[in-house]
Amino acid sequence: MQKRILTVLTCVVALSLSILAAPRKSAKKSAPGPGPDQAHMQKIWNGWNTLDPANVAQFYAQGPHTFYDIAPLKYNSWDEYAKGVVKELAAYKSASFTLNDDAQVHPAGEYFWATATVKEDAMLKSGKREMATFRWTVIFEKQEGKWLIVHEHVSEPVH
């Protein structure tokens, strides 16, 4: 009988030690449902094709968020961005922005972050054509059932 108790006790101790020694999974929060995709990202740029920030406001979170643009540099909220970018876009007659095939979307807890390069083909009111490739990094957060941009960085390589 004592042998049986000793055997059971040894098994319990071995099992307990193996459970304690097992690697633990980190408690990562997962993103709520499917995130934004490349089609969603292109819709944002299609809105910018109109050169009117009112047509992309639906994609941006309201409140204090940081948005970096090519010029002037930084906006501290969507309202500031929408007002400031109008001055920058005033020189343009038309524009076309196309997401390149290098776009990537990555889940990060309850957020998604994405990167891409974007082709610009624009016409200035002066008649001059402007072509460039932008870098775009964006962070999305789901708010009221929609994936909204809470941070954005648009830049153009220095030539």
Side-chain angles (χ1 to χ4, degrees):
M1 173 97 161
Q2 245 180 346
K3 263 185 164 178
R4 185 180 289 175
I5 292 175
L6 186 57
T7 303
V8 170
L9 187 57
T10 302
C11 288
V12 168
V13 169
L15 183 60
S16 298
L17 289 175
S18 68
I19 290 172
L20 290 174
R24 295 177 186 235
K25 293 182 180 177
S26 64
K28 275 187 166 179
K29 286 186 177 180
S30 61
D37 57 12
Q38 290 180 14
H40 180 75
M41 293 166 67
Q42 184 59 57
K43 281 182 191 177
I44 295 165
W45 284 102
N46 290 346
W48 281 114
N49 287 344
T50 68
L51 302 174
D52 183 354
N55 293 325
V56 292
Q58 65 184 325
F59 299 110
Y60 288 82
Q62 301 301 304
H65 298 285
T66 304
F67 306 107
Y68 293 107
D69 203 350
I70 294 167
L73 175 64
K74 176 183 174 187
Y75 300 100
N76 295 307
S77 68
W78 170 251
D79 289 336
E80 192 177 297
Y81 195 178
K83 288 176 190 166
V85 79
V86 168
K87 295 172 193 167
E88 299 300 320
L89 297 175
Y92 292 88
K93 180 179 177 180
S94 64
S96 175
F97 301 102
T98 307
L99 196 68
N100 290 320
D101 62 1
D102 61 351
Q104 296 181 5
V105 180
H106 309 275
E110 54 192 272
Y111 300 93
F112 276 82
W113 65 277
T115 60
T117 57
V118 178
K119 181 179 125 188
E120 174 213 20
D121 187 354
M123 185 64 68
L124 293 160
K125 289 180 179 173
S126 67
K128 180 181 175 194
R129 186 175 184 190
E130 183 177 278
M131 297 179 71
T133 300
F134 301 146
R135 295 176 285 227
W136 187 41
T137 303
V138 63
I139 299 174
F140 295 96
E141 178 182 39
K142 197 166 201 177
Q143 295 181 6
E144 297 178 14
K146 292 171 39 178
W147 286 104
L148 300 179
I149 298 171
V150 294
H151 177 75
E152 178 180 64
H153 187 130
V154 180
S155 63
E156 184 177 4
V158 178
H159 300 289

